[in-house]
Amino acid sequence: MKDVLESILRGIGTGSVYALLGLGFVIIYKATRVISFAQPAFMLAGAVLVTYLVKPLGFFVALVVAALVTGALALGVERLAVRPMIGRPVFTVAIITLGIDIAVRVVVNALIGLDVRHVGDPWGLDTWKLPGGILIEQRHVAMVVTTAVLIAGLFLFFRYTRTGLAMRAASYDQEAALAQGVSVGAVFALSWALAGALAAVAGTFAAVGGSVSESLWLVALTALPVIILGGLDSLPGAVVGGLVVGVVQEVTATYQGDFPWLGGNFSVVTPYVVMLLILLVRPYGLFGTREVERV
């Protein structure tokens, strides 16, 4: 039982990183109806930027600065590469975002170079001991707390600010929002900036305790099952999906050795297995909006 609970706690920590990535995907999708494949590159860019800033600024200040800079980078990319594609087929815009991902990663990989780069780790392997002798790593607690603060901030932003309400209006009906004076172009830009900042935070926490390499962007691929599981247009779904995937992945990693026939890395594919099982029952995800067409 102790191992199960520790695995669940680790999974919640890991799942919070997936939730941040998933939120970025969903924010862009709700605004533009396009899945942005550039998110992995922004995740890697943010983590690499922290490696350059962590010594002079410290981990936490470096994280904030990297999130802001990565958000500005995503904003610039949207204005230069995505904005001119408005009105084109969704598939075309999605391919453009894939090209952006490749271009940004090429530049970031050059910044990584041959040296081993670290984002820093204020917590090390320090743990807290809970009742029952259950151990939880402090970095996992930090991941959960950071994610909770950001989610609360997004909730307040979307619910109580004029800009947040404008983004919500545009996500429901762009034409109606335009008729009410909402700048849909500004909504598109801000959605990319928010997604880029969230990706930078997620990438940094994903690299805590290890090194930053070009393979870090592969972590972002797990966000795809997360958003499909929770629902492409659901922010709460991204959070729930991230936590579910994180817990299932960690529990599987703990016990997959008891089932040799599964293979040594079965936990890597469990997000996709969970996604397929959910889609068999709920094709629009757990919280996704069911589309109804009248013919």
Side-chain angles (χ1 to χ4, degrees):
M1 179 59 69
K2 177 175 176 291
D3 291 340
V4 173
L5 293 177
E6 289 181 348
S7 298
I8 291 175
L9 292 175
R10 287 196 303 272
I12 293 174
T14 303
S16 63
V17 174
Y18 295 154
L20 288 180
L21 287 168
L23 284 171
F25 277 99
V26 172
I27 287 173
I28 291 179
Y29 181 81
K30 283 177 71 68
T32 66
R33 295 299 166 183
V34 173
I35 297 178
S36 171
F37 293 103
Q39 285 298 98
F42 295 137
M43 174 185 175
L44 180 60
V48 171
L49 185 56
V50 170
T51 66
Y52 282 93
L53 299 176
V54 69
K55 286 187 178 180
L57 300 179
F59 178 82
F60 297 102
V61 176
L63 176 60
V64 173
V65 173
L68 293 175
V69 172
T70 307
L73 172 64
L75 174 61
V77 165
E78 189 276 336
R79 294 302 298 267
L80 295 175
V82 179
R83 185 71 63 87
M85 304 302 295
I86 290 179
R88 301 292 181 88
V90 171
F91 175 78
T92 302
V93 182
I95 294 300
I96 293 295
T97 66
L98 186 59
I100 294 169
D101 172 74
I102 295 172
V104 173
R105 282 195 289 112
V106 167
V107 176
V108 173
N109 289 342
L111 294 175
I112 294 175
L114 299 177
D115 298 330
V116 177
R117 308 201 62 85
H118 299 277
V119 300
D121 187 356
W123 307 280
L125 296 176
D126 293 342
T127 59
W128 283 326
K129 196 169 186 177
L130 303 180
I134 299 170
L135 299 178
I136 179 172
E137 295 184 20
Q138 292 182 13
R139 63 191 178 109
H140 286 146
V141 176
M143 292 176 186
V144 174
V145 171
T146 301
T147 300
V149 169
L150 290 175
I151 291 173
L154 287 173
F155 172 79
L156 295 174
F157 171 74
F158 286 124
R159 189 172 181 86
Y160 296 109
T161 67
R162 291 176 60 88
T163 305
L165 291 173
M167 293 184 70
R168 290 173 60 191
S171 70
Y172 286 125
D173 191 327
Q174 292 182 8
E175 293 184 358
L178 280 170
Q180 295 298 318
V182 173
S183 174
V184 175
V187 168
F188 289 176
L190 185 56
S191 66
W192 273 75
L194 287 174
L198 291 173
V201 175
T204 301
F205 275 107
V208 165
S211 60
V212 177
S213 66
E214 59 184 60
S215 63
L216 177 64
W217 73 277
L218 294 173
V219 176
L221 295 181
T222 308
L224 293 177
V226 165
I227 60 175
I228 294 174
L229 169 65
L232 277 173
D233 59 350
S234 173
L235 294 174
V239 177
V240 173
L243 296 178
V244 169
V245 166
V247 169
V248 171
Q249 198 170 38
E250 286 293 336
V251 171
T252 303
T254 299
Y255 290 100
Q256 65 185 5
D258 298 334
F259 305 93
W261 52 274
L262 289 176
N265 293 314
F266 183 73
S267 62
V268 177
V269 302
T270 51
Y272 303 93
V273 174
V274 174
M275 177 189 72
L276 290 174
L277 292 176
I278 293 297
L279 289 181
L280 289 174
V281 181
R282 297 184 66 88
Y284 295 98
L286 293 174
F287 301 95
T289 303
R290 183 182 180 87
E291 296 183 5
V292 178
E293 295 184 1
R294 298 179 182 273
V295 294

